[in-house]
Amino acid sequence: MNGLPKIIAIVGTNASGKSGLGVRLAKKYGGEVVSADSRQVFAGLDLGSGKITPEETMGVPHHLIDVCAPGDFFSMADYQRLAYRAIDDILSRGRLPFLVGGTGLYLESVIEGYVLSDAAPDLAYRAQLETHTTPELYAMLKQIAPDTNVDPQNRNRVMRSLERIQAGDSGAEQKRPRYDVLRLGVTWDRKTLCQRIDERLERRLDQGMISEVQRLMDAGVSDVFLRKLGLEYRYICEYLLGEISSREEMIDELSRAIKRFAKRQMTWFRRDPGILWLDMAADPFDQACRLIDQALAAGESPSSAEQTV
């Protein structure tokens, strides 16, 4: 992808340390961070989404945080449009964009350059699709697009394909990359990651995560919206509504859910052979700097086959 503007992506699982690493790298290279998190776009969803604090940014500008109100509709197309705008603005000022986050579809929409329809979503059709299980949705897709190569387990992609076909598109994904992206991966071995997840969960609970969800509910944010956010917001909402009997039960169920989600994140990212995985037990900052220096000097991203970290 010679000739395309260079950007850096820091991707990884929950509690892996990608946000902190992204800040350090952006500060070193005079860059700015574009968040790629599907929950951090909502104002007021702070502790539950793991949103970076003003102090933690170390003065590095962050984009696509707090860009809409809780309960508002926000799609992948909305994210891509705003991310393109932020990245192009950063590049126009001679600074280096760092795309940092763990929401796979948001990241891929920018990195791969998905060509998305400008048509307004059919919310009635989407609500109808939501009533079906993932296997049912995939069966619907296969019936109208027998040659589809969409992962049958990927609910979001199956639904998006159905929506595109409903809107009159072919359903096939088209890509038009706009950037040359160096992709750096951040994670830990399973045991260490689980420990980090539990430590972070305990810390955020101590900081008032349950109270945050209660304030959202008191402000009129619907439990339907909170449940759809998943993980912290779903389980704490259910606890506050009395659907989970005790705080201890809620924490136990939530901890297991976050770990399952982190496993799914890794499955998603491992599909991408272009991601260069950093050794978090060594010196990931130094490793990342070497790879970024090489990429910037060469004017193109080193392939995973050419680099060992």
Side-chain angles (χ1 to χ4, degrees):
M1 289 188 290
N2 291 335
L4 295 178
K6 170 70 65 180
I7 72 172
I8 313 299
I10 310 293
V11 309
T13 59
N14 276 0
S16 60
K18 58 187 176 294
S19 296
L21 179 61
V23 166
R24 291 182 64 197
L25 291 169
K27 195 168 185 68
K28 173 179 172 62
Y29 288 93
E32 300 182 15
V33 171
V34 178
S35 171
D37 188 290
S38 61
R39 302 188 300 175
Q40 293 183 6
V41 298
F42 295 104
L45 274 63
D46 301 329
L47 290 169
S49 71
K51 195 176 294 177
I52 194 167
T53 66
E55 294 75 23
E56 289 169 339
T57 67
M58 298 171 58
V60 173
H62 278 61
H63 304 266
L64 269 70
I65 291 177
D66 297 342
V67 295
C68 62
D72 285 357
F73 177 76
F74 191 88
S75 68
M76 181 176 68
D78 293 323
Y79 175 80
Q80 186 196 58
R81 173 175 49 83
L82 295 177
Y84 280 164
R85 182 186 302 170
I87 291 170
D88 290 346
D89 174 63
I90 295 167
L91 289 167
S92 73
R93 292 184 278 106
R95 298 173 69 82
L96 183 61
F98 284 80
L99 188 64
V100 181
T103 300
L105 277 173
Y106 282 14
L107 287 159
E108 208 164 89
S109 73
V110 174
I111 293 172
E112 299 293 337
Y114 287 160
V115 178
L116 303 174
S117 171
D118 293 330
D122 185 339
L123 298 183
Y125 183 64
R126 179 168 296 171
Q128 177 189 336
L129 294 179
E130 287 284 7
T131 66
H132 293 277
T133 65
T134 301
E136 289 171 343
L137 291 171
Y138 186 70
M140 293 164 59
L141 178 60
K142 286 290 286 185
Q143 185 173 8
I144 57 179
D147 296 330
T148 182
N149 60 0
V150 172
D151 179 359
Q153 304 298 320
N154 191 321
R155 182 178 179 86
N156 286 330
R157 284 199 168 189
V158 173
M159 286 184 63
R160 193 167 75 247
S161 295
L162 286 166
E163 288 180 305
R164 277 203 301 269
I165 294 170
Q166 173 75 3
D169 294 342
S170 67
E173 288 184 340
Q174 301 179 49
K175 299 177 182 179
R176 194 175 301 140
R178 296 176 54 158
Y179 311 109
D180 183 7
V181 187
L182 171 64
R183 286 161 278 187
L184 303 179
V186 177
T187 192
W188 300 79
D189 64 86
R190 181 69 178 166
K191 180 179 179 181
T192 303
L193 182 61
C194 287
Q195 181 180 346
R196 289 175 62 89
I197 287 171
D198 285 335
E199 290 172 351
R200 189 179 75 158
L201 177 56
E202 181 179 359
R203 183 167 61 251
R204 288 155 69 188
L205 287 166
D206 290 343
Q207 291 170 341
M209 187 162 58
I210 294 176
S211 297
E212 174 178 288
V213 178
Q214 184 67 66
R215 285 194 300 272
L216 290 167
M217 296 172 70
D218 291 344
V221 178
S222 74
D223 65 291
V224 173
F225 172 76
L226 292 170
R227 292 174 200 265
K228 282 188 176 181
L229 292 171
L231 300 180
E232 294 86 354
Y233 292 101
R234 171 193 165 188
Y235 285 92
I236 293 175
C237 174
E238 292 177 354
Y239 165 65
L240 292 172
L241 291 173
E243 298 172 8
I244 298 178
S245 59
S246 70
R247 189 177 189 271
E248 291 71 24
E249 181 185 352
M250 180 272 291
I251 294 172
D252 181 61
E253 290 189 23
L254 175 54
S255 172
R256 287 189 278 114
I258 296 172
K259 291 165 187 171
R260 289 194 300 269
F261 179 70
K263 184 177 180 180
R264 291 197 299 273
Q265 284 180 302
M266 276 308 302
T267 299
W268 174 283
F269 290 126
R270 291 292 188 191
R271 293 164 45 253
D272 184 350
I275 296 176
L276 307 178
W277 291 96
L278 304 174
D279 183 357
M280 299 302 290
D283 188 343
F285 179 75
D286 180 67
Q287 296 164 27
C289 288
R290 285 190 285 108
L291 290 169
I292 293 171
D293 288 343
Q294 292 169 14
L296 294 178
E300 58 185 42
S301 299
S303 70
S304 56
E306 295 168 340
Q307 296 291 333
T308 56
V309 181

